[in-house]
Amino acid sequence: MPEDFWFFLSHARRDALGEEYVPKFFNDLARRVGALAAFGSGVANEQIGFADFGDLEPGDQWPDHLSAALQSSRTMVCLYSPAYFASDYCGRELQVFLDRVAAAPGTGARDTVPPLILPVLWEGAERLPPSLPPEVARIHYASGSYGDEYERGGVRWLISLDANRDAYATFLERFAERVVEQAQAASMTGNAAVPPLDRVESAFTVRVAPGTEPSEFGPGTAVFVFVAAADGQARQVRNNVGAYGPTGGRDWRPWFPDTQRAVGVVAQNAASLENLFYETLPVDATLVDRLRSAEAAHAIVIIIVDPWSIQLDSYEPHMRAFDQNSFVNCGLLIPWNESDQETGEMVSRLGGLIRQTFSRCYVLNTAYIRDRIHSEDELQHALVAAIGDIRRRILQRAEVLRDIDASVPMPSIVGPSGVGR
């Protein structure tokens, strides 16, 4: 019986919703790894590999069994897909394993990654984001040994069609051999305990600093700015702060207690549906400069505003500064929970503050605006619509600039299918 897991399956929850393909792949791989490693018939698949098919969302803490698996698995198998790279949770899992690899005896510096992280194309390579995050780009996923069908459509396509049965069997055999080879050679003992989830930064995060070059963003990125207070700050302007998390921003739950999902999770799902990276920017004195860099790089920016938080000095001046500029790549979305008693009583005053703060955006139509969003589903639809409208704005601006100067190139805008146009 193995003393630890020979592989940890890291996958996007979205890829497993309503389908049995991800569990099937996990079980098929575990059975084949067990056979190649000569485990006895009494060793279950769940003892050979680890996969979490629960509903943990970013912001929750690692369950004990998942934390133990992240600490003890010999290799990590990552199912690459648009949803995978849009998942903050998957990025944190991968970062934990990258840190383990870097700390393991004999693995050396992190400028090279030992082949203990084994990517699998769950979708075809053309469906992946046009540029992978820096931490991921060093990990090679292309392999001519797995067959043309695998490279073209990914494992999900191989599993879903009976016509691909032989191609799937070929891939599974060769990949299982690779897992066994690396697991037998792995030396990952003596690592420190896995840190709490909120202390792990996603491996997919693109770190943006003031004055960075526009290439830090890119046309395949949806950048979100969450104008929402932490619960302690919110107490300065209202009594009921149940909708606000301890750190603010993406933790805000606009329609609490009717729906529990944080606004950051809804935004992340919308980015995934549009095949875009999900990034965030803080609300601070550098915001306008960063938005200017994002516009130069043709990145889509969506600002989501809590009507209550706009009253606070830590947000209102920066939003007025945003309003003083004309950014064609920005959208402004304002969710309202008028079923909340306090909001219902203050709706006129809060609406007036919103319009004063963003007066230029409203009057001059310099940003895509969607006001009075009343539900989580409505926000999801509004986010997707905003992304589409901002794409059109970016292309229209590029066409105007080309009319003035033919040397100005057209931007590469990533569409919902992941194809540049």
Side-chain angles (χ1 to χ4, degrees), residues 181-222:
E181 175 188 354
Q182 297 306 320
Q184 288 175 333
S187 176
M188 298 273 282
T189 59
N191 286 188
V194 173
L197 179 61
D198 59 4
R199 287 171 50 195
V200 178
E201 184 176 37
S202 169
F204 305 154
T205 299
V206 177
R207 295 165 181 82
V208 180
T212 53
E213 294 300 317
S215 59
E216 290 288 337
F217 297 94
T221 303

Side-chain angles (χ1 to χ4, degrees), residues 36-110:
L36 292 171
F39 295 147
S41 59
V43 179
N45 291 342
E46 292 75 13
Q47 295 172 287
I48 298 169
F50 178 89
D52 176 29
F53 295 115
D55 57 357
L56 184 69
E57 296 285 0
D60 296 339
Q61 292 304 308
W62 308 110
D64 290 342
H65 68 285
L66 191 146
S67 181
L70 281 169
Q71 187 176 2
S72 64
S73 296
R74 299 188 183 193
T75 66
M76 173 173 276
V77 175
C78 307
L79 301 190
Y80 279 13
S81 71
Y84 187 79
F85 290 106
S87 170
D88 178 80
Y89 183 80
C90 292
R92 294 182 191 226
E93 286 181 345
L94 181 56
Q95 187 60 57
V96 168
F97 209 82
L98 282 167
D99 291 340
R100 284 190 60 216
V101 169
T107 58
R110 285 180 58 173

